[in-house]
């Protein structure tokens, strides 16, 4: 009797042990490069079943790349994936799912014109299941995790959160043991987030699945996860059991602050821009009333996680979004009907983040760009003159290129230089989105030198950046945004990038 | 005009429209999978010639249709290879092929012009042919017409009721999503482009062996472009596409009748009638006009049961496959 019980207990133990081994996910020295950019640099991590992991890192740290590799969407240049100790070579996400790894992508990868049921069926093994049976199975599954889904609804009519739920159910029905969720809380309601997190807890605690939450938001990782891996610039820089002090995560996520170069205080006590209880509404986000002042020659940096409202404010200042409340004063004058052409007339320039989408015209040469911005209204273009202008700008702004080069063939840094070259002189205000994103240090410094020269002439600067070092080092004043609200406005001289990291992570 | 005459006219409209219906189904399949086969006008011409010549020389109608299907399939294969493999623009390749097919058929067909040749015999279906009104229109036709009608039903059923059809549509709508779910997007696009092309080829032979028997230079010229337009106006649905094809045939018949009644008006004016009528009617049924109309009646719209709403929307919706003509990087 006793021996039999003992044997049963040990087989139980053995089965549990076996199950754990089977679902253990191991990534060994994963390396992935896009051109010269190293997105994943020899990353090794281990995920145990029954736990919820956070994968933290700034934008561009390489989180999505690593997870796309694990889920078979992309192939690594080097390195191996082991599931329960067995090496895997996924040729497609379908194969990964068959092996038990499913991923919810940052953008829901479904077919919007299909019904929910059609999306659920697409890619499922046939297995003699009728559509009606499948619909019933889907509904039952949805109920189990507290999701509310109508199989016959069109997917395009669902909210982002519901599309995620659908995708999650599809992965579970497909046999996923390891579930990866890439930034799932962007664009869903607070209520849907709670439902999602509850279902993730159920999946891990009760069903022993492995969950990986990819995020750059500290507080949600702290709230949900047992353990966090932190990536920075393509490298794994650490792993910590959670919860832990935010400070530890912040110091892993962000670089040490380099000694700040001495910068001149150029505020001239002449008002450049003044915002009084400005409100902006878009379909996705409402910006609560914001009041800010900017003096001539000053730099105001807007910090915040992507989609916290700072971009809306910038676009509203450029006249690209209408104000839904409050007032905007330029140089002390109220501007009730602010719009983009008016902004240009008043000496306001706007540099968008998408250089080739909004600022430059792919397919045109540098000379042609000069002709485009020159404000002559003659029928004929003075090509020799514009060519000369282009040459001048190329030499003064040290652009690596020829007047005949097509703009899209220039490197990002040189495109940005040329954009600056095309800015008119004597501007009152320059508005910039991510002015140095993707640029190397040399180009970055060069661009800020140019901006300093303009500041000396009295130009004020308002910019949005995801690079906290840049914000801390280049601004006079910093405004921190969170969830559509101006959280704080603080002087840059007394703020470090670390503190900023804290603030935008919603810790304070 | 008495009723038997009217019934005879309807019967002949259906016959005249049959090749167009087949071509529209073929192109709909191809475009639903994401491949625009713009070469249709040229491949119709060349396959009409190929079908006629093959049937004439071999004495076998079946062989004629097979040869025509092969020509259509090869044209589609060139478009598919050029766009899916060589990553060239589908529209450009298709356009050049359309021109090529036209010239090639004129050149190769020189010695077969205006020759008597084989034709598809009439085949009345017992019992059904005796149904009043419907019998004479639908069941005293020939194999080509029955094939066309069957094809519409089968294509619709395949596209919207089968798993394979789901995969086909996903390749044309959101290839990235299809890829992540294990759909072999590129393979499917090849398969359905070639299948669609073969149907276009069969449509060509349907002209030269049945509807417009024989061969002459420019025998079917223009019908390919019309079929392309009908696919678009029909909102990429085989059923609405077939209705569009019949409507086109009907307005052509109407133009002939009108021309006979008003001989003093120039023939050219009546030739424009089908186009005008088609644009008006198809604008009415396509989503562009329907959507604002539906939006005007929000209260009733909201009160209607969800299932009705969906059906109505499905009937009126006419958006092209979202990834039509776009390549996919399969990593
Ligand atoms: N398909 C791609 N081609 C080129 N560069 C890419 C591609 N995917 C990602 N990258 C680059 O790799 C880096 C890491 O990206 P990603 O993994 O998406 O970061 P994260 O998800 O952490 O924000 C970024 O600099 C990004 O621009
Ligand atoms: Mg990402």
């Amino acid at each position: 009797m006793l021996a039999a019980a003992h044997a049963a207990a040990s087989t139980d133990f053995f089965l549990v042990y076996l199950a754990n081994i089977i679902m253990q996910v191991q990534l060994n020295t994963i390396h992935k490069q896009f051109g010269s950019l190293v997105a994943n640099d020899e990353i090794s991590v281990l995920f145990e079943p029954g736990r919820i992991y956070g994968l933290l890192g700034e934008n561009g740290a390489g989180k999505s790349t690593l997870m796309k590799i694990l889920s078979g969407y992309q192939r690594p240049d080097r390195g191996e994936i082991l599931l329960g100790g067995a090496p895997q070579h996924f040729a497609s996400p379908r194969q990964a799912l068959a092996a038990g790894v499913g991923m919810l992508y940052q953008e829901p990868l479904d077919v919007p014109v299909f019904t929910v049921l059609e999306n659920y069926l697409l890619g499922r093994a046939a297995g003699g299941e009728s559509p009606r049976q499948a619909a019933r199975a889907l509904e039952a599954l949805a109920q189990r995790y507290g999701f509310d889904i109508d199989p016959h609804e069109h997917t395009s009519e669902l909210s982002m959160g519901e599309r995620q739920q659908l995708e999650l159910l599809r992965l579970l029905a497909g046999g996923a043991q390891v579930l990866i969720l890439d930034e799932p809380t962007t664009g869903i309601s607070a209520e849907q987030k709670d439902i999602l997190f509850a279902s993730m807890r159920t999946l891990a605690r009760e069903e022993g699945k492995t969950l990986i939450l990819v995020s750059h938001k500290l507080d949600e990782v702290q709230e949900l996860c047992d353990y966090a891996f932190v990536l920075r610039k393509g490298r794994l820089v650490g792993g910590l059991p959670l919860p832990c002090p935010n400070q530890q995560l912040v110091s892993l996520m962000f670089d040490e602050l380099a000694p700040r170069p001495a910068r001149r205080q150029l505020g001239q006590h002449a008002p450049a821009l003044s915002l009084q209880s400005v409100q902006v509404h878009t379909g996705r986000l409402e910006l609560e009333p914001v009041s800010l002042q900017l003096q001539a020659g000053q730099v105001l940096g807007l910090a915040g996680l992507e989609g916290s409202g700072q971009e809306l404010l910038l676009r509203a200042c450029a006249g690209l979004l209408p104000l839904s409340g409050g007032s905007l004063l330029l140089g002390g004058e109220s501007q009730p009907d602010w719009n983009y052409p008016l902004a240009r007339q008043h000496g306001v320039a706007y540099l968008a983040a998408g250089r080739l989408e909004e600022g430059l015209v792919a397919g045109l040469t540098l000379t042609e760009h000069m002709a485009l911005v020159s404000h002559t209204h003659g029928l004929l273009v003075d090509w020799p003159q514009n060519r000369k202008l282009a040459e001048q700008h190329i030499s003064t702004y040290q652009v690596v290129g020829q007047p005949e080069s097509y703009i899209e063939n220039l490197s990002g840094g040189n495109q940005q230089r040329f954009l600056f070259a095309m800015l008119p002189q004597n501007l009152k205000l320059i508005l910039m989105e991510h002015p140095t994103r993707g640029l190397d240090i040399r180009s970055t410094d060069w661009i800020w030198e140019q901006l300093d020269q303009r500041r000396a002439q009295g130009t004020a600067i308002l910019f949005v950046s995801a690079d906290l070092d840049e914000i801390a080092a280049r601004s006079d004043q910093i405004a921190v945004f969170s969830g559509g609200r101006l959280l704080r406005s603080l002087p840059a001289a007394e703020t470090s990038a670390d503190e900023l990291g804290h603030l935008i992570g919603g810790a304070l | 005009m008495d009723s038997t005459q009217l019934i005879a006219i309807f019967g002949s409209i259906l016959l005249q429209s049959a090749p167009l219906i087949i071509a529209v189904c073929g192109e709909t399949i191809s475009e639903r999978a994401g491949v625009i086969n713009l070469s249709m006008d040229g491949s119709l011409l060349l396959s009409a010639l190929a079908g006629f010549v093959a049937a004439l020389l071999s004495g076998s109608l079946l062989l004629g249709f097979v040869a025509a299907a092969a020509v259509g399939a090869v044209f589609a294969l060139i478009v598919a290879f050029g766009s899916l493999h060589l990553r060239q623009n589908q529209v450009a390749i298709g356009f050049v092929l359309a021109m090529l097919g036209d010239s090639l058929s004129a050149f190769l067909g020189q010695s077969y012009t205006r020759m008597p040749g084989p034709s598809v015999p009439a085949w009345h279906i017992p019992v059904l042919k005796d149904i009043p009104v419907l019998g004479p229109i639908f069941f005293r036709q020939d194999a080509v017409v029955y094939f066309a009608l069957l094809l519409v039903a089968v294509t619709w059923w395949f596209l919207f009721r089968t798993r394979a059809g789901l995969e086909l549509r996903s390749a044309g709508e959101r290839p990235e999503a299809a890829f992540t779910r294990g759909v072999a997007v590129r393979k499917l696009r090849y398969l359905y482009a070639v299948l669609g092309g073969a149907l276009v080829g069969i449509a060509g032979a349907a002209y030269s062996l049945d509807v417009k028997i024989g061969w002459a230079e420019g025998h079917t010229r223009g019908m390919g472009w019309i079929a392309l337009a009908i696919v678009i106006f029909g909102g990429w649905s085989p059923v609405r596409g077939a209705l569009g094809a019949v409507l086109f045939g009907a307005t052509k018949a109407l133009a002939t009748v009108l021309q006979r009644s008003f001989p003093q008006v120039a023939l050219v004016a009546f030739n424009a009638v089908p186009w005008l009528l088609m644009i008006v009617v198809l604008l009415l049924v396509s989503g562009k006009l329907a959507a604002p109309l539906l939006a005007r009646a929000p209260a009733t719209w909201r009160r209607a049961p969800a299932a009705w709403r969906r059906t109505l929307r499905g009937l009126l919706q006419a958006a092209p496959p979202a990834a039509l003509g776009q390549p996919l990087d399969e990593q």
Side-chain angles (χ1 to χ4, degrees):
Chain A
M1 270 294 268
L2 212 71
H6 187 80
S10 67
T11 37
D12 271 3
F13 176 79
F14 179 70
L15 283 179
V16 169
Y17 173 77
L18 198 67
N20 284 356
I21 285 288
I22 283 169
M23 291 185 292
Q24 198 176 59
V25 180
Q26 199 175 348
L27 297 177
N28 275 344
T29 61
I30 298 286
H31 192 88
K32 178 81 182 177
Q33 236 167 302
F34 297 107
S36 64
L37 181 115
V38 182
N40 285 169
D41 190 1
E42 310 282 333
I43 296 179
S44 302
V45 278
L46 181 71
F47 300 106
E48 305 270 3
R51 310 189 67 188
I52 307 179
Y53 291 87
L55 187 60
L56 271 168
E58 278 184 284
N59 289 328
K63 310 179 294 287
S64 297
T65 305
L66 187 67
M67 290 301 108
K68 281 180 180 169
I69 288 171
L70 173 55
S71 69
Y73 192 86
Q74 284 176 339
R75 256 161 277 174
D77 301 334
R78 289 196 293 281
E80 56 175 2
I81 302 168
L82 303 173
L83 289 188
Q88 306 285 334
H89 301 278
F90 301 138
S92 73
R94 172 74 171 274
Q95 276 186 17
L97 185 58
V101 181
M103 174 160 172
L104 196 70
Y105 298 91
Q106 219 161 337
E107 280 282 298
L109 263 183
D110 51 22
V111 187
V113 299
F114 281 9
T115 64
V116 167
L117 184 60
E118 285 176 325
N119 261 311
Y120 173 78
L121 286 174
L122 180 64
R124 254 176 89 67
E129 180 188 44
S130 78
R132 187 164 304 173
Q133 285 166 330
R136 231 176 284 138
L138 176 60
E139 275 170 329
L141 204 58
Q143 208 164 29
R144 186 154 113 209
Y145 298 104
F147 300 162
D148 181 21
I149 269 187
D150 173 4
H152 302 288
E153 190 72 63
H154 273 269
T155 309
S156 56
E157 312 230 306
L158 301 185
S159 70
M160 192 67 107
E162 288 169 325
R163 285 170 75 178
Q164 269 176 7
Q165 295 176 353
L166 163 62
E167 190 68 3
L168 209 55
L169 294 176
R170 190 183 69 80
L171 295 172
L172 287 168
Q177 291 301 315
V178 179
L179 276 165
I180 305 162
L181 295 91
D182 195 351
E183 312 263 8
T185 59
T186 330
I188 71 173
S189 69
E191 192 189 343
Q192 282 171 333
K193 183 186 133 182
D194 290 342
I195 297 176
L196 181 72
F197 280 13
S199 66
M200 288 174 72
R201 288 198 186 93
T202 310
L203 285 166
R205 309 278 181 263
E206 290 169 25
E207 303 182 18
K209 295 189 166 42
T210 313
L211 280 108
I212 306 173
L213 173 73
V214 178
S215 178
H216 60 245
K217 299 180 189 168
L218 288 181
D219 46 356
E220 68 185 37
V221 171
Q222 293 271 24
E223 177 191 339
L224 184 72
C225 303
D226 309 312
Y227 196 90
F229 289 109
V230 182
L231 295 188
R232 184 166 77 204
K233 299 195 171 141
R235 293 226 174 96
L236 179 70
V237 288
L240 287 172
L242 298 180
C244 73
N246 261 353
Q247 180 53 42
Q248 276 179 298
L249 291 174
V250 169
S251 65
L252 280 175
M253 277 171 75
F254 302 104
D255 282 320
E256 287 297 317
L257 189 59
R260 194 173 308 175
R263 69 189 297 282
R264 291 173 293 163
Q265 292 292 323
L266 286 166
Q268 291 174 350
H269 300 290
L273 177 74
S274 156
L275 304 175
Q276 295 172 351
S277 310
V278 163
Q279 281 170 280
V280 186
H281 288 215
T282 61
R284 272 211 164 178
L285 187 70
E286 292 185 7
L287 183 64
E288 290 174 25
V290 171
S291 299
L292 285 171
Q293 308 292 330
L294 187 56
Q295 310 289 337
Q298 260 197 335
V299 182
L300 175 57
L302 307 181
L305 299 171
E306 230 171 293
S308 298
Q310 70 275 33
E311 301 97 339
L312 294 188
L313 186 68
L314 194 78
R315 291 192 161 232
C317 290
L320 292 167
L321 284 176
L323 305 187
S324 51
S327 53
L328 181 151
L329 284 78
L330 192 75
E333 278 173 48
S334 177
Q335 301 288 349
D337 305 307
W338 194 232
N339 58 40
Y340 185 62
L342 203 62
R344 287 185 47 153
Q345 276 173 28
H346 281 80
V348 177
Y350 168 71
L351 294 181
R355 286 188 277 268
L356 274 178
E357 290 84 41
E358 292 178 63
L360 301 166
V361 187
L364 293 191
T365 65
L366 303 193
T367 306
E368 285 167 331
H369 272 89
M370 293 317 303
L372 210 56
V373 294
S374 72
H375 291 280
T376 49
H377 293 285
L379 183 61
L380 298 178
V381 175
D382 185 354
W383 290 114
Q385 171 65 20
N386 280 304
R387 200 192 128 86
K388 212 180 292 165
L389 255 171
E391 268 171 358
Q392 261 172 33
H393 284 313
I394 286 171
S395 71
T396 47
Y397 289 85
Q398 299 161 24
V399 179
V400 182
Q402 303 296 318
E404 292 77 26
S405 311
Y406 288 103
I407 195 78
E408 68 269 27
N409 294 339
L410 265 52
S411 76
N414 285 306
Q415 285 175 6
Q416 193 73 328
R417 282 169 190 238
F418 194 70
L419 257 180
F420 273 91
M422 292 199 312
L423 284 182
Q425 288 301 314
N426 301 321
L427 289 168
K428 276 213 190 77
L429 176 64
I430 300 181
L431 305 164
M432 302 183 293
E433 269 177 4
H434 307 290
T436 61
R437 181 155 78 188
L439 302 195
D440 58 28
I441 299 165
R442 213 173 75 90
S443 292
T444 304
D445 283 346
W446 183 88
I447 276 171
W448 280 104
E449 271 167 39
Q450 298 296 312
L451 288 168
D452 271 351
Q453 285 176 19
R454 286 179 180 266
R455 286 172 58 215
Q457 298 160 7
T459 305
I461 293 169
L462 184 63
F463 78 106
V464 168
S465 176
D467 183 345
L468 298 182
D469 284 336
E470 179 172 44
I471 291 201
R474 311 291 184 178
S475 314
D476 297 301
Q477 192 74 18
I478 301 173
V480 183
F481 286 76
S482 171
R485 218 152 54 81
L486 172 64
L487 207 62
R488 277 264 202 106
S489 173
L490 14 103
E494 294 151 28
T495 315
S496 70
D498 275 6
E499 287 168 83
L500 270 183
H502 254 200
L503 274 173
I504 72 168
L508 292 178
Chain B
M1 200 184 298
D2 61 22
S3 64
T4 40
Q5 240 178 324
L6 210 57
I7 286 171
I9 290 179
F10 280 131
S12 99
I13 287 173
L14 188 60
L15 174 68
Q16 299 283 333
S17 315
L20 208 49
I21 292 175
I22 298 170
V24 164
C25 282
E27 183 69 12
T28 298
I29 291 172
S30 176
E31 293 197 11
R32 278 278 181 180
V35 181
I36 314 174
N37 183 356
L38 210 66
S39 73
M40 240 211 288
D41 203 60
S43 71
L44 265 182
L45 275 165
L46 200 59
S47 56
L49 173 68
F52 178 69
V53 172
L56 184 69
L57 298 184
S58 70
S60 154
L61 279 171
L62 188 66
L63 221 60
F65 278 99
V66 170
V71 168
V74 167
F75 266 61
L77 189 65
I78 297 173
V79 173
F81 182 76
S83 68
L84 302 179
H85 241 96
L86 306 180
R87 318 201 126 258
Q88 298 303 307
N89 186 313
Q90 286 176 5
V91 172
I93 301 173
F95 197 76
V96 168
L97 280 180
M99 301 296 134
L100 178 75
D102 191 315
S103 319
L104 212 56
S105 70
F107 170 66
L108 297 175
Q110 276 166 344
S111 42
Y112 297 98
T113 305
R114 299 188 202 292
M115 280 168 78
S119 66
V120 179
W123 173 31
H124 297 186
I125 298 181
V127 185
L128 292 179
K129 75 175 166 36
D130 298 324
I131 303 173
V133 187
L134 296 184
I137 296 178
F138 287 101
F139 303 112
R140 294 187 195 170
Q141 300 279 7
D142 58 36
V144 168
V145 175
Y146 305 140
F147 175 75
L149 293 176
L150 217 58
L151 183 65
V152 174
V154 169
T155 306
W156 180 87
W157 175 81
F158 180 78
L159 283 178
F160 299 108
R161 286 292 176 273
T162 68
R163 220 170 263 266
L166 195 66
E167 296 190 349
L168 185 168
R169 285 185 289 137
S170 73
E173 287 289 351
R174 192 101 198 267
E176 316 87 331
F179 164 71
T180 61
R181 287 143 198 246
V183 175
V185 174
R186 196 200 282 211
K187 211 171 86 187
L188 285 194
R189 284 183 164 180
Y190 264 112
L191 176 68
Y192 292 119
V194 169
L195 178 68
L199 287 171
V200 171
I202 290 174
Y207 275 118
S208 60
L209 295 176
D210 189 18
V211 174
K212 217 177 157 189
I213 297 158
W215 172 255
E217 199 265 340
H219 198 57
T220 66
R221 189 173 292 145
M223 296 319 280
W225 301 116
I226 290 165
L228 274 167
I230 291 175
V231 169
I232 295 169
F233 281 131
W236 292 268
S237 145
V239 175
R240 274 190 293 166
L243 288 177
V246 172
L247 184 74
F248 179 79
T251 50
K252 271 198 102 147
L254 183 70
T256 319
V257 173
L258 284 177
Q259 219 270 320
R260 250 182 251 138
S261 325
F262 304 96
Q264 67 275 29
V265 182
L267 176 71
V268 192
F270 289 114
N271 280 346
V273 169
W275 297 107
L276 284 176
L277 261 175
M278 213 167 90
I279 288 175
V280 171
V281 174
L282 292 169
L283 269 181
L284 275 178
V285 295
S286 80
K288 286 282 175 329
L289 273 184
L293 284 180
L294 288 175
R296 288 279 152 68
T300 15
W301 182 238
R302 252 179 254 125
R303 251 182 277 124
W308 291 15
R309 245 180 342 184
R310 282 194 286 263
T311 315
L312 196 59
R313 243 184 62 149
L315 279 176
L316 295 173
Q317 202 176 34
L324 185 57
Q326 283 169 22
L328 166 75
D329 262 317
E330 281 187 33
Q331 221 268 340

